[in-house]
Amino acid sequence: MNARLRGMTAAERERILLDVVTECTAAVLGYQDPAELEPDLSFPEAGVDSLTATEIRSRIAARVGMPVPRTRFDARTTLAEAARILNGLVADDSTAPRA
């Protein structure tokens, strides 16, 4: 997915990554519908603790094909901010295969 993401515009990547963050968060927290999570919720507001944060990062990393640094997601980070952070990581990842 990382190579595919790199071929998109920043706005397209951010939209896809917001979906990934929301879907992974919803799955870990047991939501039936990811749409129940608002993009402006911080991770703690959504019900994320340190254990679930680790699982969410693992799922996101598996989906995007690159590691997600723990330090990028602090207690104030919203789901939308997480997507923007991931967008920057994908855009800056010089080790990713090129599309």
Side-chain angles (χ1 to χ4, degrees):
M1 177 182 236
N2 193 354
R4 190 179 100 215
L5 287 169
R6 291 180 59 86
M8 297 177 177
T9 67
E12 290 171 323
R13 270 195 317 265
E14 190 171 318
R15 183 185 56 77
I16 295 295
L17 290 168
L18 179 57
D19 288 346
V20 169
V21 169
T22 303
E23 289 166 8
C24 291
T25 302
V28 170
L29 296 177
Y31 283 84
Q32 294 297 320
D33 183 2
E36 294 178 37
L37 292 175
E38 294 293 325
D40 293 328
L41 281 177
S42 69
F43 282 104
E45 289 173 324
V48 175
D49 61 21
S50 60
L51 186 59
T52 54
T54 300
E55 178 63 23
I56 291 165
R57 279 194 314 277
S58 294
R59 286 179 184 232
I60 292 170
R63 291 273 303 271
V64 299
M66 63 183 296
V68 177
R70 179 174 48 125
T71 57
R72 299 294 183 151
F73 299 98
D74 66 22
R76 296 175 307 276
T77 303
T78 66
L79 277 64
E81 288 169 328
R84 284 190 288 276
I85 290 166
L86 286 172
N87 193 3
L89 290 174
V90 170
D92 292 342
D93 183 18
S94 61
T95 63
R98 302 297 181 231

